[in-house]
């Protein structure tokens, strides 16, 4: 065949046939593909869901999680639902809690190999992969988690009709809310704002009390998706929602975007908005006057919002200054006048937290030049307003958020509303994949073995060697600049943990004689100790008591690690609080 048609044609045909195989068999061996062609081997296709379409390489769904009707319906007649676990799934959940207590992600990975649809394990690995920068693996973990939760839905559970309710207070219901909220943020980061908006509506429909803070980002998603009418309907249906800081500003920005004919479907560079594709006809004189009047009315209403929540402008411009916006003298003059001058001195912790979330989520919407010009004109009107008018709008803000240090939104993290993904430091990542993500006292958690691995991973080898060679607490405290009681607890943790002395370093003669590439590969093994890299920038500080030369840089950071390990060693026998969820 290759002589007749050529090798390229034959290879392309073979590749097309291989890609046409059912999922999971594309890279199978020839014998497996032969059995598949004869019909001796079949793969069960996973059922597609409303929220997630399973991928071909996903394993078969094993079940173990179910949904049932929970008690009486709500006051408006809508049924309540809740998740339940089978005895086998409950046993897997207990194993997960032990793995989570060990701070070892490898044990969670081993659990997922045996039970690939365990919800809490998938959520934990989603967070870990996202911190490692593995976006594809992180998204797959989250999608598989949503798929497992969706496959357990009750036949009468229809979230599309918005007539079903779930209680977030039940611990078994929380993974669905957590997974859907994380998926909402993921879709928004990928630019799928319309789909993210539908997920946000689903979350509000299941529990209108908004336990995950969807109301702090649904206005952002509506503006990004161009759903301005939805935002107007949402604020008119509930007056309390319309008085939140984010809705006070977002509704006016939505009116401005709708009036100027901008859409979020084609994102403009730097602003997130671009003009509509179709060119509008030249406006007549009457239309121009009406538009000018509407613009003046919009600036007047925005000035009232500035007088109501001036702290929003102060923190928003402080955030945008890092991006090169608002550094002109005119903005500096406005921020030095009332009501913006002392706006950051808040007496309400709830308002302060709500404004921080708004600034983190919405600051890019106000970065555009036209939005900045509108906000500057509104601030100019607010500054020129009479003191009585400024005081009246301040009273409205105090009625909405009375002075109190009790933060009603303390369960919401500002980082959850950010597009920035926090990454693990390299040393923490190495410790996580090497056997532990944090120091534990001996005997605490899932077992002494995990504690010893975590302890040895967090402490420098020189420090462990000094403790094992008999250094006393006072000498260790003076060397690490920590209190003597913490040094004593650290010595007790190291000696009582059964830690072995670190492996001996490779001799310099062996390093010089070895092949550099071979030695590089050897140093990647966890049991190889290649010694400390010499400090060429500064001379050695001196020799230790036992005659070995030690580097100050190696032990300078040991004080912080020693304090953390010593604190955990002192509280090793204290009962640990159990967490209800992964928040």
């Amino acid at each position: 065949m290759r002589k007749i048609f050529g090798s390229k044609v034959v290879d392309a045909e073979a590749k097309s046939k291989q890609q046409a195989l059912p999922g999971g068999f594309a890279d199978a061996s020839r014998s497996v593909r032969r059995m598949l062609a004869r019909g001796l081997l079949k793969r069960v296709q996973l059922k597609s869901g409303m929220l997630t379409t399973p991928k071909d390489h996903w394993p078969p769904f094993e079940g173990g999680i179910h949904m049932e009707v929970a008690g009486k319906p709500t006051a408006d007649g809508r049924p309540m639902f809740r998740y339940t676990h089978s005895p086998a799934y409950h046993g897997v959940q207990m194993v997960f809690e032990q793995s989570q207590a060990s701070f070892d992600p490898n044990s969670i990975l081993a659990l997922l190999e045996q039970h690939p649809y365990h919800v809490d394990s998938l959520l934990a690995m989603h967070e870990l992969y996202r911190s490692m920068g593995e976006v594809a693996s992180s998204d797959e973990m989250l999608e598989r988690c949503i798929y497992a939760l969706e496959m357990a839905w009750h036949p009468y559970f229809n979230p599309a009709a918005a007539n079903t309710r779930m209680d977030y207070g039940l611990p078994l219901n929380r993974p669905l809310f957590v997974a859907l909220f994380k998926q909402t943020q993921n879709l928004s980061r990928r630019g799928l704002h319309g789909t993210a908006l539908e997920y946000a509506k689903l979350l509000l429909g299941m529990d209108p009390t908004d336990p995950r803070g969807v109301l702090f980002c649904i206005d952002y998603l509506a503006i990004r998706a161009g759903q301005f009418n939805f935002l107007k309907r949402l604020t008119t249906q509930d007056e309390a929602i319309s008085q939140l800081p984010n809705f006070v500003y977002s509704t006016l920005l939505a009116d401005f975007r709708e009036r100027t004919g901008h859409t979020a479907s084609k994102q403009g560079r730097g602003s997130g908005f671009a003009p509509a594709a179709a060119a509008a006809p030249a406006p007549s004189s009457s239309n121009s006057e009406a538009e000018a009047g509407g613009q003046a009315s919009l600036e007047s209403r925005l000035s009232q919002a500035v007088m109501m929540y001036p702290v929003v402008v102060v923190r928003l411009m402080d955030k945008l200054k890092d991006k090169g916006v608002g550094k002109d003298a005119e903005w500096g003059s406005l921020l030095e006048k009332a009501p913006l001058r002392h706006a950051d001195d808040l007496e309400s912790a709830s308002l302060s937290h709500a404004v921080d979330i708004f600034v983190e989520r919405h600051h890019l919407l106000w970065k555009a030049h036209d939005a900045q010009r509108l906000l500057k004109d509104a601030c100019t009107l607010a500054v020129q307003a009479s003191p009585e008018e400024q005081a009246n709008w301040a009273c409205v803000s105090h009625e909405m958020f009375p002075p109190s240090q009790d933060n009603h939104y303390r369960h919401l993290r500002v980082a959850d509303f950010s597009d920035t993904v926090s990454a693990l430091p390299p040393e923490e990542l190495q410790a996580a994949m090497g056997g532990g993500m944090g120091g534990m006292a001996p005997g605490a958690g899932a077992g002494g073995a995990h504690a010893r691995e975590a302890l040895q991973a967090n402490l420098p080898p020189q420090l462990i060697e000094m403790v094992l060679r008999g250094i006393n607490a006072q000498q260790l405290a003076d060397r690490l600049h920590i209190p003597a009681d913490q040094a004593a607890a650290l010595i007790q943790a190291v000696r009582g943990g059964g830690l072995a002395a670190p492996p001996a370093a490779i001799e310099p003669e062996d390093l010089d004689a070895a092949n550099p590439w071979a030695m590089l590969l050897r140093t990647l093994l966890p049991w190889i100790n290649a010694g400390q890299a010499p400090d060429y920038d500064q001379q050695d500080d001196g020799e230790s008591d036992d005659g070995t030369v030690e580097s100050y840089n190696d032990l300078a950071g040991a004080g912080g690690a020693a304090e953390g390990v010593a604190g955990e060693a002192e509280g090793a026998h204290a009962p640990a609080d159990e967490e209800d969820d992964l928040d």
Side-chain angles (χ1 to χ4, degrees):
M1 298 295 292
R2 294 182 182 274
K3 293 181 180 180
I4 300 175
F5 299 101
S7 59
K8 293 184 179 181
V9 177
V10 175
D11 293 341
E13 182 67 18
K15 186 176 180 179
S16 62
K17 290 183 178 180
Q18 185 176 356
Q19 292 178 351
L21 293 175
F25 295 99
D27 297 329
S29 62
R30 181 179 300 178
S31 59
V32 174
R33 294 199 302 268
R34 187 181 297 113
M35 295 175 61
L36 182 65
R38 295 177 180 177
L40 302 177
L41 185 63
K42 294 183 180 180
R43 175 181 175 85
V44 179
Q45 296 293 334
L46 294 177
K47 178 183 176 182
S48 298
M50 181 186 302
L51 303 178
T52 305
T53 301
K55 298 182 179 180
D56 294 337
H57 62 274
W58 285 6
F61 181 65
E62 58 185 6
I65 182 171
H66 310 281
M67 179 182 285
E68 64 181 12
V69 179
K72 299 180 180 179
T74 60
D76 53 358
R78 303 186 181 187
M80 296 286 294
F81 294 90
R82 66 181 179 185
Y83 280 105
T84 59
H85 292 171
S86 64
Y89 191 93
H90 181 71
V92 177
Q93 182 70 19
M94 298 297 293
V95 175
F96 166 76
E97 293 176 0
Q98 294 178 0
S99 301
Q100 190 180 31
S102 68
F103 296 95
D104 185 3
N106 297 312
S107 60
I108 300 180
L109 281 174
L111 178 62
L112 279 178
E113 291 180 359
Q114 300 294 329
H115 306 280
Y117 289 97
H118 183 255
V119 173
D120 290 337
S121 298
L122 292 171
L123 287 175
M125 294 311 302
H126 159 72
E127 289 292 338
L128 180 61
Y129 279 132
R130 190 182 68 164
S131 301
M132 294 169 56
E134 299 288 342
V135 180
S137 300
S138 175
D139 292 345
E140 183 175 348
M141 293 292 105
L142 185 59
E143 290 175 1
R144 197 193 298 180
C145 174
I146 296 176
Y147 179 78
L149 292 168
E150 184 179 358
M151 289 298 101
W153 282 357
H154 193 274
Y156 294 156
F157 184 79
N158 186 13
N163 59 353
T164 55
R165 293 286 185 267
M166 294 188 69
D167 185 8
Y168 181 80
L170 298 178
L172 300 186
N173 289 347
R174 293 181 183 177
L176 179 61
F177 289 86
V178 174
L180 292 180
F181 182 79
K182 292 181 180 297
Q183 183 71 348
T184 301
Q185 302 301 326
N186 281 351
L187 293 171
S188 178
R189 293 189 187 102
R190 291 156 55 184
L192 304 175
H193 305 294
T195 308
L197 179 61
E198 298 303 323
Y199 271 84
K201 295 177 183 178
L202 175 60
L203 282 170
L204 280 180
M206 290 192 303
D207 193 343
T209 60
D210 191 22
R212 298 297 306 180
V214 179
L215 289 176
F216 287 96
C217 63
I218 194 171
D219 55 330
Y220 169 84
L221 298 175
I223 295 176
R224 282 291 200 184
Q227 300 291 335
F228 306 127
N229 292 330
F230 166 77
L231 187 57
K232 293 179 182 179
R233 292 196 306 268
L234 184 62
T235 53
T236 54
Q237 291 176 359
D238 193 339
E239 185 178 358
I241 293 178
S242 63
Q243 298 301 318
L244 293 176
N246 56 316
F247 282 97
V248 169
Y249 282 83
S250 294
T251 51
L252 297 175
L253 182 60
D255 290 343
F256 176 70
R257 291 303 177 195
E258 187 177 16
R259 187 169 299 170
T260 55
H262 284 63
T263 176
S265 59
K266 297 182 179 179
Q267 294 186 0
R269 187 172 183 178
S271 65
F273 293 91
S284 60
S285 59
S286 59
N287 292 336
S288 300
E289 294 176 358
E291 184 177 354
Q295 182 75 9
S297 175
L298 185 61
E299 293 176 357
S300 176
R301 287 187 294 158
L302 187 56
S303 66
Q304 297 173 0
V306 172
M307 289 185 288
M308 184 176 180
Y309 297 113
V311 64
V312 172
V313 178
V314 175
R315 296 187 183 181
L316 181 64
M317 297 311 300
D318 186 63
K319 179 78 172 180
L320 292 177
K321 282 182 180 179
D322 298 336
K323 301 182 180 298
V325 179
K327 294 184 177 181
D328 54 295
E330 188 176 359
W331 264 118
S333 176
L334 289 174
L335 295 176
E336 292 297 329
K337 299 178 181 179
L340 301 175
R341 182 171 51 196
H342 301 293
D344 212 1
D345 301 334
L346 295 179
E347 299 178 354
S348 174
S350 300
L351 176 59
S352 179
H353 196 71
V355 172
D356 288 340
I357 295 176
F358 170 79
V359 171
E360 184 63 35
R361 177 70 281 179
H362 296 71
H363 69 276
L364 290 179
L365 296 180
W366 295 90
K367 184 184 176 182
H369 298 294
D370 52 355
Q372 280 287 299
R373 185 167 55 252
L374 174 66
L375 185 60
K376 184 184 295 185
D377 294 342
C379 291
T380 303
L381 294 178
V383 168
Q384 296 174 356
S386 63
E388 292 78 8
E389 185 178 1
Q390 295 179 1
N392 292 335
W393 285 107
C395 290
V396 177
S397 175
H398 289 163
E399 291 179 1
M400 187 66 185
F401 292 93
S404 175
Q405 295 303 317
D406 186 14
N407 185 5
H408 297 288
Y409 307 120
R410 58 182 177 271
H411 61 284
L412 303 177
R413 297 194 314 157
V414 178
D416 292 338
F417 296 86
S418 175
D419 287 335
T420 304
V421 179
S422 58
L424 286 175
E427 58 273 10
E428 293 291 338
L429 182 59
Q430 182 179 4
M433 302 312 296
M437 296 181 66
M440 295 182 60
H450 292 292
R452 287 193 296 271
E453 293 176 2
L455 188 62
Q456 196 155 7
N458 280 320
L459 296 181
Q462 297 91 342
L463 180 59
I464 298 177
E465 187 174 0
M466 285 191 301
V467 173
L468 295 178
R469 288 185 178 181
I471 190 173
N472 57 40
Q474 188 59 42
Q475 292 175 347
L476 185 62
D478 295 339
R479 188 178 296 271
L480 299 180
H481 304 287
I482 61 176
D485 55 346
Q486 293 186 2
L490 176 63
I491 293 175
Q492 182 181 1
V494 173
R495 294 175 180 174
L499 294 181
I506 302 176
E507 297 296 334
E509 295 79 5
D510 298 336
L511 284 174
D512 296 337
N515 184 287
W517 289 106
M519 186 54 62
L520 175 62
L521 296 177
R522 287 188 62 190
T523 56
L524 298 178
L525 300 176
W527 57 83
I528 297 298
N529 181 10
Q532 298 296 322
D535 193 352
Y536 299 104
D537 297 333
Q538 56 183 337
Q539 297 180 354
D540 296 335
D541 295 333
E543 294 187 356
S544 59
D545 298 336
D546 56 359
T548 59
V549 178
E550 63 184 21
S551 174
Y552 176 78
N553 293 334
D554 297 334
L555 295 178
E563 292 179 2
V565 175
E568 294 178 2
E570 292 176 348
H573 301 289
D577 297 332
E578 297 183 357
E579 296 182 355
D580 294 334
D581 56 356
L582 297 174
D583 293 345

